[in-house]
Amino acid sequence: MDKRQRILDFFLNHIKESVNLTQDEVELLYESIDIVELKRKECVLQPGQVSKHMRFVVTGSMRCYYLDLDSQEHTLQIGIEGWWINDLYSYLSGKESQMFVQAIEKTTLVQINSEALERLYVKIPALSTFFRIKIQNAYVSLQERMLEQMSIQVFDRYQKFIKEYRNIEQRIPQYMIASYLGVTPEFLSYLKKKHSM
């Protein structure tokens, strides 16, 4: 089996966890996707651009972050194998992004252009259901994360994070994890030492 087919199979298996597709629908889907190979630190979206793709991580890892007025990074999302990553606000609103969507490691993505996806929704109703579920889940996760930031201690959030993203600390720099948790790397390091990790 060649590399492209392995990528397509991984992507299709992910879709089929939520909806069923006929073989004809699978072929239509395959015709509409692009496979993108990214180098470490390469961006697929930068501030000022409009997000026009849904992106699925096949291998590697990605992050979505913005810079505040003091040029401090704030990581809003991390995506590893089998996860979707995007600036959904820009994608859904058609407005310019304020985010960077960047490869943390060498990464392979499957991406679908928004116009192609709209056409697929008409031809493959199950795909419309799939993305409705994904966008709803993304909204729920965002709200849960906001509430956690306000109500759960940092170390507990850290433990939840490493449970959700298994083996992540071997792959992602600590400053990015700290940024995701909303603390400085020094404070995260202090907490880990305090709790003997």
Side-chain angles (χ1 to χ4, degrees):
M1 184 186 301
D2 68 1
K3 182 179 178 181
R4 177 178 169 80
Q5 192 58 51
R6 285 195 303 273
I7 291 168
L8 294 176
D9 287 349
F10 182 72
F11 177 61
L12 183 61
N13 287 336
H14 172 74
I15 300 271
K16 286 185 170 180
E17 288 173 5
S18 301
V19 297
N20 293 315
L21 300 180
T22 67
Q23 190 55 42
D24 287 344
E25 289 172 337
V26 169
E27 294 304 321
L28 275 173
L29 177 60
Y30 284 176
E31 289 169 11
S32 302
I33 64 173
D34 295 310
I35 296 171
V36 179
E37 303 277 351
L38 299 171
K39 297 173 186 165
R40 184 174 166 271
K41 295 192 174 183
E42 189 173 353
C43 288
V44 291
L45 183 71
Q46 297 187 43
Q49 299 175 330
V50 175
S51 180
K52 295 186 177 179
H53 295 86
M54 293 297 283
R55 296 180 176 94
F56 176 74
V57 181
V58 177
T59 62
S61 58
M62 303 282 296
R63 68 176 177 144
C64 181
Y65 72 96
Y66 75 95
L67 297 176
D68 65 20
L69 294 175
D70 297 322
S71 296
Q72 294 295 310
E73 293 180 8
H74 299 273
T75 301
L76 273 70
Q77 186 183 8
I78 291 175
I80 56 174
E81 293 88 354
W83 293 49
W84 292 84
I85 190 159
N86 200 1
D87 176 355
L88 273 179
Y89 175 79
S90 175
Y91 181 86
L92 294 171
S93 70
K95 294 181 179 177
E96 290 182 355
S97 179
Q98 297 178 44
M99 308 287 179
F100 294 87
V101 178
Q102 179 189 55
I104 299 170
E105 307 169 293
K106 183 179 175 185
T107 300
T108 302
L109 296 176
V110 167
Q111 66 178 25
I112 309 175
N113 178 278
S114 58
E115 292 176 6
L117 191 53
E118 289 296 326
R119 290 192 294 271
L120 286 174
Y121 287 161
V122 174
K123 296 175 182 176
I124 311 173
L127 209 56
S128 179
T129 300
F130 173 82
F131 279 102
R132 177 177 52 78
I133 292 167
K134 289 297 169 190
I135 289 170
Q136 286 173 345
N137 289 344
Y139 177 80
V140 168
S141 293
L142 177 63
Q143 186 161 327
E144 282 178 349
R145 186 153 172 249
M146 288 172 61
L147 290 171
E148 285 172 2
Q149 294 274 41
M150 293 184 281
S151 61
I152 298 177
Q153 295 292 320
V154 175
F155 189 72
D156 293 332
R157 294 201 318 263
Y158 169 73
Q159 288 186 308
K160 183 175 185 248
F161 174 83
I162 59 175
K163 186 177 178 183
E164 281 182 11
Y165 295 91
R166 299 190 184 283
N167 303 316
I168 201 74
E169 290 193 286
Q170 289 76 38
R171 300 173 59 184
I172 295 179
Q174 180 163 301
Y175 81 89
M176 289 185 192
I177 296 172
S179 169
Y180 181 82
L181 296 172
V183 298
T184 64
E186 294 78 13
F187 187 64
L188 180 58
S189 181
Y190 161 76
L191 286 177
K192 286 167 69 176
K193 285 177 187 170
K194 180 182 175 183
H195 292 275
S196 302
M197 294 196 74

